[in-house]
Amino acid sequence: MRNERLILMLAILLTACEKEIDLDYRTVAPYYVAEMEVKPGLAKARLTTTRAVKDSRVEDTYVEGATVTVTLTPGGKAYQLGYKGKGIYEAKVAGIEGQEYLADIEIDGRHYTSTSTMLSKPVINSFTLTWKDVVGERILFGDLRLQDCPTEYNYYFMHLYRNNIGYRWAVMRDTSNPGDELQQLFSCSTETEIRKGDTNGLRDGDRLRLEVRSIDKRAFDYLYSLQTMDNNGSNPIENFTGGMLGYFSAYQSQTYNTVFHIDSIH
C-alpha cells in the first residue's frame, strides 16, 4: 500500500511539472552575408541573407542584383564581378602577392566594404595521419607541418575535407618564430568510432583533401573570433563595414590529397 501511494504521488508531481513552453522569437530584418575572396586568377563572392528561425525553406536566400567590385589599392584597377546565379559573383583577377584589395558590395544604394592583402604562398612540409593515446583511447590525428615564411607575419586558415565535404578546420598564426616549422593537429576520430562505422569516424577509402591558405590579419581575426565564439558567448567580429556579416580574404593556397586506409596508420 505504501509503495502504491508513493507511485501515485510521483505521478501527480510529474504531471504537475508538465508545461507547454511557447518560445517567443523576435522578428528582425534579415542581414546580408558575404563570403568573398581573391585568389590568383579569380575574385569570387557568394551573397546570401540570414533567415528567421521559423523559416522552413531549405535553400539559401540568394542575393541578386548587387554590384560587386574589387579594386587594387591605392588607386589601382577596379574589377566588377559578374553574376553567375545562386548568389555567386565572379571575375578574372590576376592576384598579386603583397597587393591590398578593396572589396565593395553595393545593394540598394548602400555600400559594404572590406580590405585584405595577399601574402606569400604557404608551404606544406608534410601531412600525416597518426594514432595518439589520450586517456586510454586511441585517437586519429591529422598532423600538419608548415614551413613558416621568415619575412612576414604569418596567418593560416586550414580546412580538411572528407570526400569533398568540410570535415575539420582551424586557424593559426606565427608572429614570433620566423622561419620555423609550424605544427597543427586535427583531431579526427577515435579508433572505436572508426571500427564501429560511426558517422563521425573516418571510413576506409575516404578521400581527404587538405587546403592551407595564407591569409592576412583581418581575415585571421574574423575566423579566430568565429572559432572561439562558442567558448566566450560572443559573435564574430565585424569584417565588413555597414553591418554586413561574413568576411573578405585575399589569399594564396596549397593543397594536399590522400586516401584514408586504417591498416596503413601507425
Side-chain angles (χ1 to χ4, degrees):
M1 187 66 177
R2 180 179 179 184
N3 289 338
E4 291 176 356
R5 287 199 300 269
L6 178 60
I7 293 172
L8 179 61
M9 290 175 62
L10 288 173
I12 293 172
L13 288 172
L14 290 173
T15 303
C17 290
E18 290 181 1
K19 182 179 180 181
E20 183 176 345
I21 299 175
D22 184 16
L23 297 178
D24 182 19
Y25 296 109
R26 289 187 302 145
T27 301
V28 298
Y31 284 87
Y32 292 112
V33 183
E35 299 169 74
M36 190 166 177
E37 64 183 41
V38 173
K39 61 182 180 180
L42 181 68
K44 182 177 180 180
R46 182 175 184 270
L47 304 182
T48 57
T49 63
T50 58
R51 291 197 304 243
V53 172
K54 295 183 179 181
D55 192 334
S56 60
R57 286 175 293 179
V58 176
E59 293 186 354
D60 289 330
T61 50
Y62 305 121
V63 176
E64 302 177 355
T67 300
V68 184
T69 58
V70 169
T71 304
L72 283 65
T73 62
K77 183 176 180 180
Y79 299 84
Q80 183 167 333
L81 283 61
Y83 188 61
K84 304 298 181 181
K86 294 189 175 181
I88 303 296
Y89 298 75
E90 291 183 354
K92 293 182 178 180
V93 177
I96 304 169
E97 188 173 307
Q99 175 67 55
E100 182 183 61
Y101 295 87
L102 169 66
D104 184 284
I105 300 172
E106 181 186 356
I107 304 174
D108 295 332
R110 185 170 181 177
H111 290 262
Y112 307 88
T113 63
S114 183
T115 59
S116 187
T117 301
M118 183 175 291
L119 301 181
S120 59
K121 187 173 183 177
V123 178
I124 298 176
N125 286 345
S126 65
F127 179 73
T128 57
L129 296 172
T130 183
W131 295 111
K132 293 185 180 295
D133 291 320
V134 180
V135 195
E137 176 70 85
R138 287 221 304 175
I139 298 178
L140 183 70
F141 283 87
D143 187 346
L144 169 64
R145 305 297 176 100
L146 295 174
Q147 186 60 49
D148 187 74
C149 176
T151 58
E152 61 190 23
Y153 289 153
N154 301 117
Y155 304 90
Y156 301 102
F157 170 61
M158 300 149 289
H159 202 162
L160 182 62
Y161 295 85
R162 172 190 180 187
N163 300 324
N164 294 321
I165 298 174
Y167 184 60
R168 299 286 187 267
W169 69 274
V171 290
M172 176 172 58
R173 64 182 171 188
D174 184 65
T175 59
S176 59
N177 301 291
D180 287 353
E181 184 177 71
L182 308 176
Q183 181 184 31
Q184 173 68 42
L185 291 175
F186 295 91
S187 177
C188 294
S189 45
T190 67
E191 185 176 19
T192 301
E193 290 172 332
I194 296 172
R195 299 292 185 186
K196 286 184 176 181
D198 289 354
T199 303
N200 187 58
L202 293 179
R203 298 189 178 185
D204 208 63
D206 277 350
R207 293 172 288 108
L208 300 178
R209 175 170 60 89
L210 175 68
E211 181 185 15
V212 179
R213 299 179 181 182
S214 57
I215 59 177
D216 68 353
K217 185 177 184 300
R218 277 177 55 82
F220 170 85
D221 288 343
Y222 172 84
L223 290 167
Y224 181 77
S225 69
L226 186 67
Q227 186 182 50
T228 59
M229 60 184 288
D230 287 341
N231 296 329
N232 54 33
S234 64
N235 292 321
I237 65 173
E238 185 179 81
N239 185 267
F240 275 90
T241 64
M244 176 172 279
L245 305 180
Y247 77 107
F248 169 57
S249 178
Y251 68 88
Q252 297 191 76
S253 66
Q254 186 176 6
T255 59
Y256 180 87
N257 296 277
T258 189
V259 178
F260 171 68
H261 292 295
I262 189 170
D263 293 335
S264 65
I265 309 302
H266 302 287

